[in-house]
Amino acid sequence: MDALDLQPALIEAALKEQAARKRGDYHAEILRRARFALELQRSPGHQRAVMLVMATDPVMFINDWIWTYDPRNISRNLPPVVPFVLRPTQERLIRWLQEREATQSPGMIEKSRDEGMSYVVLAYFLHRWLFTPGFAAGVGSRKEEYVDRKGDPKSLFWKFRDMLSHLPSWMMPAGFSPKLHDNHMRIINPANGASLTGEAGDNIGRGGRTTIYLLDEWAFVDHPESVNAAISQNTNVVIKGSTPNGVGNVFYTERFSGRFPVFTMHWKDNPDKNFTLDLDGQTVYPWYKKQEANLDPIDLAQEVDIDYTASTEGIVIPAKWVNAAFQLVLPAGLPRVAGVDVAEEGADKSAYAARAGGVVLPSLRQLRGLHVAADLVESGKADGISELNYDKLGVGASLTATLAKLEDLPFTVRGIANSERPSRTVYPDAEARAEERFANLAAELWWRLRLRFKNTYERETLVKYHPDEECISLAELKGHPLENTVRAQLSQATYEKAGVADKIRVNKKGKGTASPDLAEVIMYAFAPSPPPPAQVYVPGTYSQSL
């Protein structure tokens, strides 16, 4: 029996060993908490001291006093109610929430499935509810049953009540009565006036004012624009959390806008899931292998791997290919070419990108206004480009007129008509010529960029080696202010085959609403010089004729 045949048994054994370790951890923690609670039960003076200390630190409070409920534990020979001991990522989330409050700034949480986001946020709210006079928290979700339905563990209020119910009696607010102070979608602390309120659907955010508000599963809310308008008058600190739900929604747009601090809860940061097993020289994640066996591939990619493009059919450049391009480091080479996208009169921004061989340079940026020619000349000189490509149709025509008046321009300016007929190039993924495969030149140029990203992914994952000139490196954009935006835009465009000839058409907006200007200028930067009548594909050139 070879290693491949043994793999399922070894993975199952590793999972059982991990569960046994967790049982031991829980047993030790339960005993510690029981001894601690018993000591305090006998000493009111120590109780008051503990309350003073707990008031200063939500992490300490959670790690000593909060319990959570998970009925799945029963099948793992674990108790359904277990001590809540914050994992490192969860502790960082608590500190991040404190920072949001302190700076009065909103934030977004993207997460893998089952990473405990709602429990962590609600435990933080419970700490503030107990110890902060006048604190007001709000929670909202797309359906009322997800916010508050008594007896239903999936609702947010059930989780809050369950954590509250496991606190010792001496920690409960003076005068608190469930009948008087715990109502549908509202829980009041009578001792200090703190509150937790809930709302659902289109009514999220319309009631009252809050200190901080959690919008749960934001990517799945039906009318997010209406909610955004309402919540803006409710609080300064809106926390929007969700697993991905494709690219055609407000969560995706906001997450990659660069306007919000983003906190990521990925399964690979979870010690209960990221343990590894070495199988014949191959590193395997047993927990992940189990998910692969049980989940649909799209659900796995989207809800576990935080892949926003997983549920969208026909992505031109999948997110995992983009990630590979950020990892691949290449030397700067030739040619040096730039692309520009000229904005409409009155529109916010034009965009510029340059490359040196396969390396996209950090001069990538968005430019304000229509009259950007002088800035482009300076940028082109600084990047040492030999050619500047742009869409010559529509407002782009003004660029030619402006640059044509300049003397001693150090680079060639070339207008590209996206609607023109494709070339006669034969690409390595099909035997037909481009003019027979693509609906227009724009589709062909997007496809050329797709092939570079595909080659990069294959090289980075050791599937197949491709030389530098056939790949693309975005490593220079790591830490760039527009990094998140360009990551999102590169995976926004979709393609489909349409018409009698079944030719490939590219929708650069995909399911989004905004034009991906940064992705498009990168595409222009990698557009080839005008081809001869017929040729085979050589990345960066058309030098080989058929």
Side-chain angles (χ1 to χ4, degrees):
M1 185 177 290
D2 59 25
L4 187 61
D5 295 327
L6 284 171
Q7 191 178 82
L10 291 172
I11 287 172
E12 197 62 38
L15 290 169
K16 288 180 179 178
E17 181 181 340
Q18 175 75 355
R21 185 189 66 78
K22 287 297 292 180
R23 282 195 294 276
D25 291 345
Y26 281 138
H27 180 71
E29 178 61 14
I30 289 170
L31 286 177
R32 184 193 73 82
R33 290 194 181 195
R35 293 190 185 105
F36 187 36
L38 185 61
E39 290 173 8
L40 290 173
Q41 193 67 37
R42 299 167 179 164
S43 176
H46 286 168
Q47 292 171 12
R48 289 190 293 272
V50 165
M51 290 288 280
L52 289 173
V53 173
M54 292 296 165
T56 65
D57 189 358
V59 170
M60 186 184 301
F61 167 73
I62 294 168
N63 284 337
D64 277 346
W65 297 105
I66 297 300
W67 297 68
T68 61
Y69 171 76
D70 188 346
R72 297 172 300 179
N73 282 345
I74 296 172
S75 63
R76 306 164 188 160
N77 293 320
L78 295 170
V81 178
V82 294
F84 194 179
V85 179
L86 293 169
R87 298 188 291 268
T89 299
Q90 293 174 331
E91 182 174 333
R92 288 195 298 272
L93 176 56
I94 293 291
R95 301 307 185 200
W96 184 82
L97 291 170
Q98 289 182 297
E99 182 183 356
R100 303 279 66 74
E101 266 204 81
T103 59
Q104 287 292 285
S105 58
M108 309 196 74
I109 304 171
E110 61 177 6
K111 64 186 183 73
S112 299
R113 177 198 289 186
D114 197 30
E115 282 303 301
M117 181 203 74
S118 59
Y119 261 118
V120 174
V121 176
L122 290 169
Y124 174 73
F125 285 0
L126 177 54
H127 176 269
R128 301 285 281 153
W129 183 89
L130 279 172
F131 298 111
T132 307
F135 173 77
V139 293
S141 193
R142 66 188 187 277
K143 292 183 179 181
E144 187 171 315
E145 65 193 77
Y146 299 148
V147 180
D148 190 6
R149 186 162 71 176
K150 289 201 174 180
D152 189 346
K154 75 172 179 285
S155 73
L156 297 170
F157 268 72
W158 189 95
K159 293 179 174 71
F160 187 89
R161 289 189 187 99
D162 187 59
M163 290 187 288
L164 180 63
S165 71
H166 285 93
L167 295 178
S169 59
W170 52 264
M171 196 177 285
M172 295 295 289
F176 179 79
S177 167
K179 289 184 178 180
L180 295 176
H181 304 113
D182 182 356
N183 302 300
H184 182 62
M185 302 237 273
R186 192 175 188 216
I187 302 178
I188 302 296
N189 182 337
N192 64 11
S195 64
L196 174 73
T197 56
E199 295 158 310
D202 294 345
N203 293 316
I204 296 174
R206 297 194 182 279
R209 299 290 182 266
T210 58
T211 310
I212 184 171
Y213 205 108
L214 170 66
L215 288 171
D216 193 36
E217 292 300 343
W218 178 237
F220 300 87
V221 171
D222 290 332
H223 302 106
E225 295 86 357
S226 299
V227 174
N228 269 337
I231 204 76
S232 66
Q233 305 303 311
N234 184 295
T235 184
N236 294 326
V237 188
V238 182
I239 306 300
K240 299 174 177 178
S242 190
T243 52
N245 185 30
V247 299
N249 55 72
V250 171
F251 178 70
Y252 170 83
T253 303
E254 290 178 340
R255 185 264 178 261
F256 289 102
S257 68
R259 295 187 291 118
F260 304 99
V262 178
F263 191 93
T264 301
M265 301 183 76
H266 197 280
W267 70 267
K268 280 193 174 180
D269 296 322
N270 183 344
D272 294 337
K273 299 175 181 178
N274 66 10
F275 61 98
T276 59
L277 186 66
D278 191 298
L279 294 181
D280 199 24
Q282 179 187 10
T283 300
V284 172
Y285 295 93
W287 177 87
Y288 189 77
K289 281 292 183 183
K290 193 70 174 283
Q291 307 310 304
E292 280 186 314
N294 295 331
L295 293 176
D296 176 87
I298 290 179
D299 290 339
L300 180 75
Q302 180 169 267
E303 298 192 21
V304 177
D305 291 325
I306 317 183
D307 184 349
Y308 289 81
T309 64
S311 64
T312 304
E313 294 184 1
I315 294 290
V316 176
I317 306 171
K320 61 184 180 181
W321 296 3
V322 176
N323 292 337
F326 272 93
Q327 297 305 314
L328 179 63
V329 177
L330 296 177
L334 296 174
R336 285 180 171 259
V337 183
V340 64
D341 178 51
V342 183
E344 297 276 359
E345 183 73 62
D348 275 349
K349 302 159 187 168
S350 299
Y352 169 91
R355 61 148 172 147
V359 178
V360 177
L361 300 175
S363 54
L364 173 85
R365 66 188 182 282
Q366 293 171 316
L367 309 169
R368 294 283 177 181
L370 178 63
H371 304 292
V372 297
D375 196 342
L376 291 174
V377 172
E378 291 304 313
S379 298
K381 288 179 179 178
D383 287 329
I385 65 171
S386 59
E387 187 173 278
L388 177 70
N389 297 328
Y390 70 101
D391 181 3
K392 70 180 181 181
L393 302 178
V395 294
S398 64
L399 188 66
T400 302
T402 303
L403 294 178
K405 299 174 185 177
L406 301 178
E407 297 181 358
D408 301 322
L409 201 62
F411 51 82
T412 301
V413 179
R414 183 166 72 97
I416 296 173
N418 287 334
S419 59
E420 284 185 353
R421 185 177 181 176
S423 73
R424 300 178 67 192
T425 306
V426 176
Y427 293 99
D429 60 333
E431 296 181 358
R433 294 175 177 176
E435 62 185 357
E436 299 167 346
R437 296 181 64 196
F438 302 105
N440 51 35
L441 181 59
E444 180 185 357
L445 295 181
W446 276 104
W447 208 261
R448 290 179 66 93
L449 191 62
R450 169 188 168 89
L451 292 176
R452 277 190 178 270
F453 276 96
K454 181 175 183 290
N455 291 346
T456 302
Y457 176 74
E458 290 180 345
R459 173 168 163 170
E460 276 295 286
T461 55
L462 305 181
V463 172
K464 182 180 179 181
Y465 177 79
H466 296 274
D468 293 356
E469 62 270 18
E470 295 181 10
C471 298
I472 180 170
S473 171
L474 302 177
E476 293 285 328
L477 301 183
K478 281 187 176 180
H480 192 287
L482 294 171
E483 176 184 346
N484 287 336
T485 305
V486 78
R487 280 180 182 272
Q489 287 191 9
L490 282 166
S491 294
Q492 185 173 324
T494 59
Y495 71 92
E496 63 178 357
K497 292 185 177 180
V500 176
D502 210 26
K503 291 186 176 181
I504 294 172
R505 293 184 179 276
V506 170
N507 174 13
K508 66 181 181 181
K509 290 186 178 182
K511 291 185 177 181
T513 57
S515 179
D517 56 344
L518 295 173
E520 199 161 24
V521 293
I522 291 174
M523 180 264 284
Y524 286 138
F526 282 92
S529 297
Q535 63 288 306
V536 294
Y537 171 65
V538 177
T541 182
Y542 276 119
S543 60
Q544 290 183 263
S545 298
L546 291 176

